């Protein structure tokens, strides 16, 4: 049977991804002194219990958590300025989930989730999602974000991070990425054949990269190198879902 993975889209994520991202964020969030503390998160978890559906879900959970961390100050300010926080029905232990889901909501331009998920819904995620997407809350949150953009003269949310970090991220996102061939599960020849059926062409080096191309690492013959523009598309292939190719 064909393996299924969680697809990254602007339509939202399954409940389990939000819950895992919230647990990760709870452990890595920036601790603030009492005079600077805008919101209360409850106690940090030393080693949260995480259950990932697949490798793809694990990756997007961590990406979502670290995105929330990067914009923690802004997200907290939006919650306070909008009046959406505090809310008596949301305990401190769910604040991390609130922040993580707020980041995703603004990333989707405050549009509703469209994910059709076969997993069992998680009550806490459903509760926070409904609360954030209520018309009055959504409107207040969007208005608070707009006020923050005007206040800090920011064209988009990306401009809320320091310029040095933004430039580093731009450079990193443009770098080619590597994948190990898991020779316990598949041979080099079969990987190449599989990639060719997907329309990819082998070139001699990264300097020859076009969009649908790849190259062999010059030093490690079980490592393939791909253009950065193919990353999201390739990570949804069965080769990665079945751990026959492993992202470096």
């Amino acid at each position: 049977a064909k393996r299924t993975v969680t697809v990254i889209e602007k339509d939202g994520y399954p409940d389990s991804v939000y819950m895992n991202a919230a647990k990760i964020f709870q452990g890595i969030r920036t601790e603030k002194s009492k005079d600077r503390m805008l919101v209360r998160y409850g106690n940090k978890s030393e080693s949260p219990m995480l259950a990932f559906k697949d490798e793809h879900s694990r990756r997007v959970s961590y990406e979502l958590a670290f995105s929330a961390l990067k914009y923690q100050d802004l997200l907290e300010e939006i919650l306070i300025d909008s009046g959406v926080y505090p809310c008596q029905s949301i305990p401190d232990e769910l604040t991390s989930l609130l922040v993580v889901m707020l980041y995703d909501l603004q990333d989707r331009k405050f549009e509703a989730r469209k994910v059709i998920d076969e997993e069992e819904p998680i009550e806490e995620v459903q509760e926070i999602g409904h609360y954030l997407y209520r018309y009055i809350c959504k409107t207040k949150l969007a208005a608070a974000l707009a006020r923050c953009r005007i206040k800090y003269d920011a064209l988009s949310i990306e401009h809320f991070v320091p310029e040095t970090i933004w430039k580093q991220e731009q450079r990193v996102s443009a770098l080619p990425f590597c994948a190990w061939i898991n020779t316990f599960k598949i041979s080099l020849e079969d990987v190449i054949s599989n990639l060719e059926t997907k329309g990819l062409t082998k070139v001699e080096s990264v300097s020859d990269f076009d969009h649908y191309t790849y190259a062999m690492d010059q030093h490690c013959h079980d490592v393939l190198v791909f253009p950065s523009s193919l990353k999201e598309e390739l990570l949804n292939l069965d080769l990665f879902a079945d751990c026959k190719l492993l992202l470096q």
Side-chain angles (χ1 to χ4, degrees):
K2 184 178 177 64
R3 291 284 299 276
T4 58
V5 295
T6 307
V7 179
I8 298 179
E9 292 182 355
K10 295 295 185 182
D11 292 338
Y13 302 99
D15 286 8
S16 60
V17 169
Y18 291 113
M19 185 57 72
N20 282 326
K23 291 177 179 178
I24 296 165
F25 176 78
Q26 177 72 355
I28 62 176
R29 62 182 171 78
T30 302
E31 290 275 18
K32 299 179 180 179
S33 58
K34 290 185 178 181
D35 60 319
R36 293 185 61 243
M37 189 180 297
L38 295 175
V39 299
R40 299 182 300 275
Y41 288 95
N43 297 324
K44 275 196 173 186
S45 302
E46 292 184 3
S47 54
M49 296 295 294
L50 303 174
F52 299 110
K53 179 181 176 182
D54 48 46
E55 175 62 21
H56 198 73
S57 295
R58 184 191 69 82
R59 185 170 61 84
V60 295
S61 296
Y62 275 96
E63 286 180 351
L64 185 55
F66 276 91
S67 294
L69 175 66
K70 185 165 62 174
Y71 298 106
Q72 180 179 337
D73 289 346
L74 172 64
L75 296 170
E76 290 177 352
E77 185 171 345
I78 291 173
L79 285 172
I80 296 295
D81 183 54
S82 65
V84 171
Y85 180 91
C87 175
Q88 290 184 348
S89 64
I90 299 177
D92 293 350
E93 289 71 23
L94 291 183
T95 301
S96 287
L97 182 60
L98 181 68
V99 170
V100 164
M101 295 190 73
L102 172 58
Y103 170 80
D104 178 62
L105 181 61
Q106 67 77 33
D107 195 41
R108 289 184 283 108
K109 312 300 182 186
F110 297 94
E111 294 295 327
R113 271 203 295 168
K114 300 178 183 178
V115 167
I116 301 175
D117 186 20
E118 297 178 356
E119 296 178 354
E120 286 293 325
I122 299 175
E123 182 179 353
E124 294 87 347
V125 175
Q126 294 290 316
E127 178 186 349
I128 298 295
H130 289 318
Y131 176 66
L132 287 176
Y133 198 69
R134 288 173 189 167
Y135 176 75
I136 188 169
C137 289
K138 184 180 73 167
T139 303
K140 288 181 176 180
L141 289 167
L145 174 58
R147 285 193 294 271
C148 284
R149 289 176 56 184
I150 294 171
K151 177 181 177 181
Y152 297 106
D153 193 24
L155 295 176
S156 66
I157 188 172
E158 288 78 14
H159 290 81
F160 285 95
V161 297
E163 186 177 0
T164 52
I165 295 178
W166 183 79
K167 287 183 176 179
Q168 288 174 357
E169 290 180 341
Q170 291 296 106
R171 286 196 294 268
V172 169
S173 64
L175 290 175
F177 71 98
C178 300
W180 290 89
I181 299 172
N182 184 353
T183 53
F184 288 103
K185 289 192 170 187
I186 195 169
S187 67
L188 169 63
E189 292 74 18
D190 286 341
V191 170
I192 290 176
S193 176
N194 191 298
L195 292 175
E196 287 178 350
T197 63
K198 301 294 190 297
L200 275 78
T201 303
K202 181 182 175 183
V203 295
E204 290 302 314
S205 69
V206 295
S207 61
D208 300 317
F209 273 171
D210 197 351
H211 184 50
Y212 281 97
T213 52
Y214 70 94
M216 301 287 299
D217 187 276
Q218 296 181 357
H219 304 288
C220 301
H221 298 298
D222 56 351
V223 173
L224 302 179
V225 188
F226 300 92
S228 60
S229 58
L230 282 178
K231 189 172 184 177
E232 299 300 339
E233 184 175 345
L234 291 181
L235 288 175
N236 286 310
L237 296 179
D238 286 345
L239 286 172
F240 284 93
D242 295 332
C243 298
K244 294 176 181 178
L245 279 181
L246 304 173
L247 181 64
Q248 173 63 43

